[in-house]
Amino acid sequence: MDFGLLGPVAVRRAGRPVAVRSLRQRTVLAMLLVHANEVVPVEALIDALWEDRPPRTARNALQAHVGALRGRLSERPDRGLVRTVPRGYQLLVDRDRLDTARFADLVRAARAARDAGRPDRAAADLRAALALWRGPALADVPSAALAGTAAALDEARLQAADDRVDLDLWLGRHAAVTGELRARVASHPLRERSWEQLILALYRGGRRADALLAYRDADARLRRELGVGPAPALRDLHRRVLAAGRRRAGPGRGDRAAPARRPARGRRALGGCRRLPGPQRRRVAAGGGPPGGGRQPAPPGRPVVAARGVGPGHRRGPGVPAGAARRRRRGRRRRAAHARRPAV
């Protein structure tokens, strides 16, 4: 016998559905399946059935619901799957007969395959896991005691779907997941990971303008619903899409083109240079040559010049401009001349 919680509560015997029409019997069955092979206390079942308003005959009514459920789940009530134990009830079921257990096993296998470098196998396992779902978890059991379990199962489904889309994007299936992602952001507009995946799928599919529009929609929806902008990961993805467009549109490396320099005139054209005598003449222009290239020898036939304030025997510290060094020398000469004057 197979049981399902990934959608409306379902029971199948030999491939044929077994109807459990009573809401209270479905609630008892769901509680026993959520805690399969474990003892569920009588108090927990009463709370799931009647919440904070149980009748005086709650225990007798619970026994009646369990007896009816036991009869539906087995052709021989004396050998039923539901056992009565001193503190409550227990449903015996094999792990491969419960869809929640199979879903968890497939997700675990997919993540192991992904970590082992087998994305195709991981994506196939996640597709098999997601194929077990028939709708929202515990869709026909509106019990407050099971609301947290249903929400956790639905979140696990979304996580598995996100992981599968990540693998599809890594495998280059951008166009195949675009429609699915649009439906997901429509049903879960505050889930930023789905927006990130949609923007990435659109951009990698050659639809940069649509990717930027998707970010604008995500930003507007988040600000309208929550009063805050997108998280840093989504903002960073938006900046990278913009920067990629600028790199294609213009020259230069990085996200921002280097500003153009004004043409040098006069002495600036020579880097503030002057002529120097000497038999070994070379051109040593301040800042001349390519960045990081150091001093460059002068081309043949050119006048030999050197940076002003940079002469033989002078050593200029790092980061000190030539003009500052020249002013320091001039000040030292003036102080020396003043010291040599005779006292009056």
Side-chain angles (χ1 to χ4, degrees), residues 78-116:
D78 58 327
R79 297 180 59 183
L81 300 177
V82 180
R83 296 177 53 193
T84 302
V85 294
R87 295 188 302 113
Y89 299 93
Q90 183 182 31
L91 177 60
L92 302 178
V93 57
D94 293 336
R95 186 173 181 83
D96 59 346
R97 296 294 183 179
L98 183 59
D99 60 356
T100 53
R102 296 203 306 273
F103 172 79
D105 291 343
L106 286 168
V107 170
R108 192 179 303 109
R111 289 172 179 164
R114 179 196 60 191
D115 295 340

Side-chain angles (χ1 to χ4, degrees), residues 213-227:
L213 288 175
Y215 175 82
R216 187 186 67 180
D217 294 342
D219 180 75
R221 188 64 179 266
L222 290 169
R223 293 184 186 278
R224 183 170 64 250
E225 297 288 340
L226 303 179

Side-chain angles (χ1 to χ4, degrees), residues 25-332:
Q25 290 180 26
R26 285 200 306 273
T27 304
V28 172
L29 176 60
M31 284 288 295
L32 294 175
L33 288 173
V34 166
H35 305 281
N37 301 314
E38 300 176 4
V39 176
V40 182
V42 171
E43 292 76 10
L45 292 171
I46 291 176
D47 182 65
L49 289 173
W50 294 284
E51 298 181 5
D52 56 349
R53 293 180 297 178
R56 293 181 179 179
T57 58
R59 287 181 175 269
N60 294 334
L62 175 61
Q63 291 176 359
H65 292 310
V66 171
L69 181 63
R70 185 182 285 122
R72 288 185 177 278
L73 297 183
S74 177
E75 296 179 355
R76 296 181 57 183
D78 58 327
R79 297 180 59 183
L81 300 177
V82 180
R83 296 177 53 193
T84 302
V85 294
R87 295 188 302 113
Y89 299 93
Q90 183 182 31
L91 177 60
L92 302 178
V93 57
D94 293 336
R95 186 173 181 83
D96 59 346
R97 296 294 183 179
L98 183 59
D99 60 356
T100 53
R102 296 203 306 273
F103 172 79
D105 291 343
L106 286 168
V107 170
R108 192 179 303 109
R111 289 172 179 164
R114 179 196 60 191
D115 295 340
R118 302 170 59 194
D120 288 323
R121 178 64 182 176
D125 287 340
L126 287 174
R127 287 192 187 90
L130 294 169
L132 297 173
W133 285 78
R134 297 166 285 108
L138 300 167
D140 57 350
V141 182
S143 173
L146 292 167
T149 301
L153 289 171
D154 289 334
E155 180 63 24
R157 178 189 188 183
L158 287 174
Q159 290 284 352
D162 288 341
D163 291 344
R164 199 220 75 226
V165 169
D166 283 341
L167 290 168
D168 285 338
L169 291 174
W170 192 87
L171 293 168
R173 301 166 183 162
H174 313 121
V177 299
T178 301
E180 174 187 350
L181 288 172
R182 286 198 180 278
R184 190 174 304 164
V185 297
S187 58
H188 299 86
L190 304 182
R191 193 174 182 83
E192 295 190 37
R193 185 179 178 187
S194 298
W195 284 108
E196 292 177 31
Q197 292 174 331
L198 175 61
I199 293 170
L200 195 59
L202 290 170
Y203 173 72
R204 289 183 178 175
R207 300 167 61 182
R208 179 171 172 267
D210 289 336
L212 295 174
L213 288 175
Y215 175 82
R216 187 186 67 180
D217 294 342
D219 180 75
R221 188 64 179 266
L222 290 169
R223 293 184 186 278
R224 183 170 64 250
E225 297 288 340
L226 303 179
V228 296
L234 188 53
R235 294 199 305 268
D236 180 65
L237 178 59
H238 178 236
R239 283 194 296 267
R240 284 187 283 140
V241 172
L242 287 174
R246 283 198 295 269
R247 284 197 295 270
R248 286 200 304 269
R253 298 179 182 178
D255 295 345
R256 194 177 285 183
R261 292 186 177 182
R262 296 175 59 186
R265 297 181 180 178
R267 287 186 175 180
R268 280 185 59 218
L270 296 177
C273 297
R274 62 182 176 86
R275 294 178 181 272
L276 285 179
Q280 302 296 330
R281 299 187 173 186
R282 294 190 308 166
R283 177 185 178 88
V284 282
R295 297 179 177 181
Q296 303 295 322
R302 296 287 184 88
V304 180
V305 294
R308 299 191 63 176
V310 182
H314 172 70
R315 181 176 299 173
R316 178 159 53 90
V320 180
R326 185 170 61 252
R327 286 192 294 273
R328 284 204 301 268
R329 290 200 310 276
R330 188 182 302 162
R332 286 195 296 270

